[in-house]
Amino acid sequence: MFELKNVSVGSGVKQRLQQINLTVRQGSLTAVLGANGAGKSSLLNLLAGELQPSSGEISFKQQPLAHWSQQQLATQRAIMLQQQRPVFDFLVLDYLLLARHAWLETEAQSLAHASKIIQCLALQPLLDKPVTRLSGGEWQRVQFARAWLQVVAVTGVDHAMLLLDEPTAALDIFQQRQFYQALQSFVAAGGTALVVLHDVNQAARIADQFILLQQGQLLAAGSAEHCFTQTNLCRCYQVAGHLQHDVASGKCYFHY
């Protein structure tokens, strides 16, 4: 879906990203990993169009990202940032329906799309609450529903991408599991997701593709077999650790 060719952000010693070449393929759930200051947020903001590269090219669906209008992008990809709340007392349902603004459809059609996602994420008890009175965990769930609702079409989400920045930071363990099950359902339905995470082992549980950044440079990108290695992770986080294989899940987890 996204392709970056020789992309840099900043100049001189203040480069936040340096000569990044990578592809985010359709239908993947990609985790972006790296220590603080590695460039994870800069990469997410580039893909979101909130940050412009100082050099290089970014393409979305084989077209330069700059050639897409905001209305076109609104139906193709959605962004979920940390704790970004409106200042107005929208009711949750009204706030969710704002996500359909870019679609040419009736109110009944918007409600039909919303009801499916509300049911999937068990948001019915929150619909009449003002968004300013939600707990941190409730707000994260509503934000995810809004992002999903923004890109869902009559034909589904196989055209769509979600960009998420630490989406479970305010969630407890049970809510985290529910969230990632929902995110995996989105991908299983044909969607594509890129999620910035600090929790390396949570990334191992959910992702099928990885992007590892180190001090603004691309350390590795691709499958778990290629990226999620002891050498890469120790280098990425500047720690001494080891991988442990979990027989039940078939996943490898990093311990340090």
Side-chain angles (χ1 to χ4, degrees), residues 109-124:
Q109 289 171 324
S110 295
L111 284 167
H113 286 300
S115 65
K116 293 177 183 177
I117 295 170
I118 288 165
Q119 185 174 2
C120 178
L121 299 179
L123 294 179
Q124 294 91 334

Side-chain angles (χ1 to χ4, degrees), residues 60-81:
F60 180 58
K61 296 187 176 182
Q62 300 181 331
Q63 295 185 51
L65 183 59
H67 291 184
W68 290 78
S69 70
Q70 287 303 308
Q71 183 163 355
Q72 288 174 321
L73 282 174
T75 63
Q76 304 291 312
R77 64 98 181 94
I79 306 151
M80 180 179 168
L81 302 176

Side-chain angles (χ1 to χ4, degrees), residues 193-253:
L194 182 141
V195 54
V196 171
L197 289 173
H198 282 295
D199 189 334
V200 174
N201 290 321
Q202 184 64 266
R205 292 183 188 96
I206 66 164
D208 56 74
Q209 298 286 303
F210 296 85
I211 296 170
L212 273 62
L213 296 172
Q214 183 190 30
Q215 296 180 344
Q217 297 182 336
L218 181 65
L219 181 61
S223 66
E225 182 180 8
H226 174 68
C227 297
F228 204 85
T229 68
Q230 181 170 310
T231 299
N232 283 342
L233 292 169
C234 289
R235 184 179 170 190
C236 186
Y237 291 98
Q238 297 295 293
V239 296
H242 66 277
L243 287 183
Q244 182 174 334
H245 182 73
D246 181 70
V247 177
S249 67
K251 303 281 188 178
C252 286
Y253 298 101

Side-chain angles (χ1 to χ4, degrees), residues 21-248:
N21 290 280
L22 63 84
T23 299
V24 180
R25 64 177 180 82
Q26 185 171 355
S28 64
L29 201 171
T30 300
V32 182
L33 301 176
N36 291 340
K40 301 185 299 297
S41 294
S42 294
L43 177 61
L44 190 75
N45 287 329
L46 272 176
L47 300 182
E50 301 293 327
L51 185 64
Q52 299 302 314
S54 51
S55 62
E57 301 175 356
I58 304 175
S59 297
F60 180 58
K61 296 187 176 182
Q62 300 181 331
Q63 295 185 51
L65 183 59
H67 291 184
W68 290 78
S69 70
Q70 287 303 308
Q71 183 163 355
Q72 288 174 321
L73 282 174
T75 63
Q76 304 291 312
R77 64 98 181 94
I79 306 151
M80 180 179 168
L81 302 176
Q82 293 186 52
Q83 298 298 319
Q84 188 183 49
R85 296 201 188 207
V87 295
F88 300 108
D89 280 338
F90 291 110
L91 298 182
V92 167
L93 179 58
D94 294 333
Y95 173 74
L96 290 176
L97 290 175
L98 290 175
R100 302 302 295 176
H101 178 72
W103 294 88
L104 300 176
E105 62 186 12
T106 65
E107 182 179 356
Q109 289 171 324
S110 295
L111 284 167
H113 286 300
S115 65
K116 293 177 183 177
I117 295 170
I118 288 165
Q119 185 174 2
C120 178
L121 299 179
L123 294 179
Q124 294 91 334
L126 304 180
L127 297 182
D128 292 328
K129 291 182 69 171
V131 293
T132 52
R133 297 183 188 178
L134 298 176
S135 70
E138 290 171 340
W139 173 241
Q140 291 293 80
R141 290 164 58 205
V142 168
Q143 274 279 73
F144 181 60
R146 188 270 312 158
W148 189 338
L149 183 58
Q150 181 181 318
V151 295
V152 68
V154 174
T155 54
V157 292
D158 58 352
H159 68 290
M161 182 163 192
L162 298 182
L163 303 171
L164 307 104
D165 186 12
E166 287 292 332
T168 59
L171 304 185
D172 61 35
I173 295 173
F174 175 74
Q175 290 174 329
Q176 285 184 27
R177 184 175 66 177
Q178 285 188 313
F179 178 89
Y180 285 120
Q181 285 175 344
L183 182 59
Q184 288 172 316
S185 295
F186 175 85
V187 174
T192 305
L194 182 141
V195 54
V196 171
L197 289 173
H198 282 295
D199 189 334
V200 174
N201 290 321
Q202 184 64 266
R205 292 183 188 96
I206 66 164
D208 56 74
Q209 298 286 303
F210 296 85
I211 296 170
L212 273 62
L213 296 172
Q214 183 190 30
Q215 296 180 344
Q217 297 182 336
L218 181 65
L219 181 61
S223 66
E225 182 180 8
H226 174 68
C227 297
F228 204 85
T229 68
Q230 181 170 310
T231 299
N232 283 342
L233 292 169
C234 289
R235 184 179 170 190
C236 186
Y237 291 98
Q238 297 295 293
V239 296
H242 66 277
L243 287 183
Q244 182 174 334
H245 182 73
D246 181 70
V247 177

Side-chain angles (χ1 to χ4, degrees), residues 3-16:
E3 185 175 8
L4 281 68
K5 295 181 179 179
N6 299 317
V7 170
S8 296
V9 175
S11 60
V13 296
K14 294 185 177 181
Q15 279 193 318
R16 286 184 274 175

